[in-house]
Amino acid sequence: MNDFKNTNEILDFAIDNEQKAVDFYNQLAANARNEHMQKTFEEFAREEMAHKAKLLQIKTEGILTLAQGVIIDLKLADYMVRTEPSTNMSYEQALVLAMKREKAAFKLYLMLAEKAESAELKALFLALAQEESRHKLRFEIEYDEHVLREN
């Protein structure tokens, strides 16, 4: 983990990671084998872009208020084998990879919350962690409905 000197460095790091997530989901969408898979990944790319926009707004204007609540964790990603992105990934492989990335983003925001200089920034990172957890849950549900039930 990086040693951050100030809030702007933390925000820059988080903004960069959100852009990487946007690129990741756009790549998966471009390589999707069916329309459902393509739309799912495009939707996640848009949501990650919204996260980036929130962080950019915070950096330039101040703290935003985000919804809070508890997100269920089915922990399916904890039991999956690591999968690297490729152009010929199956839907199952793409979902597993997406779950792993969302789990990693969740952990990242929890760590960033620990490093936050203010209560407001800490709350923001905890809220973003919660949104990443919600994304992971959506992929777990998709996996359960379209992979596990088919086998």
Side-chain angles (χ1 to χ4, degrees):
M1 189 69 184
N2 295 354
D3 275 337
F4 299 106
K5 294 181 182 97
N6 56 48
T7 302
N8 276 339
E9 286 185 10
I10 294 172
L11 288 170
D12 288 340
F13 183 78
I15 290 165
D16 183 56
N17 276 304
E18 290 297 341
Q19 183 59 54
K20 287 177 183 173
V22 169
D23 296 342
F24 168 74
Y25 287 122
N26 281 330
Q27 178 186 7
L28 288 180
N31 295 328
R33 292 183 178 179
N34 62 59
E35 187 177 342
H36 173 73
M37 187 174 168
Q38 180 182 2
K39 285 182 180 182
T40 298
F41 293 127
E42 286 172 347
E43 178 183 343
F44 275 88
R46 285 189 300 274
E47 289 184 20
E48 299 296 353
M49 184 57 84
H51 291 176
K52 180 181 173 184
K54 287 177 188 177
L55 292 168
L56 286 168
Q57 183 177 2
I58 288 163
K59 188 172 177 182
T60 59
E61 298 176 14
I63 301 297
L64 294 175
T65 303
L66 298 176
Q68 301 210 1
V70 176
I71 302 299
I72 299 168
D73 183 359
L74 301 179
K75 298 191 185 277
L76 287 176
D78 295 347
Y79 304 102
M80 305 289 174
V81 176
R82 181 174 168 85
T83 305
E84 296 300 326
S86 69
T87 56
N88 60 350
M89 290 176 76
S90 69
Y91 191 51
E92 176 181 4
Q93 291 169 323
L95 288 173
V96 169
L97 184 55
M99 283 186 269
K100 293 284 188 184
R101 287 190 61 95
E102 294 300 330
K103 182 177 179 179
F106 169 78
K107 288 181 177 181
L108 169 68
Y109 282 123
L110 288 182
M111 287 187 282
L112 291 174
E114 291 175 10
K115 293 184 176 289
E117 297 172 357
S118 68
E120 293 86 5
L121 195 54
K122 181 176 183 163
L124 167 74
F125 286 130
L126 290 174
L128 287 171
Q130 184 178 40
E131 286 189 34
E132 300 297 352
S133 178
R134 186 176 296 114
H135 289 173
K136 181 175 163 272
L137 175 62
R138 286 176 56 198
F139 280 123
E140 288 176 334
I141 291 168
E142 180 74 8
Y143 186 90
D144 180 55
E145 291 177 355
H146 295 283
V147 176
L148 293 181
R149 292 190 185 167
E150 292 175 3
N151 293 325

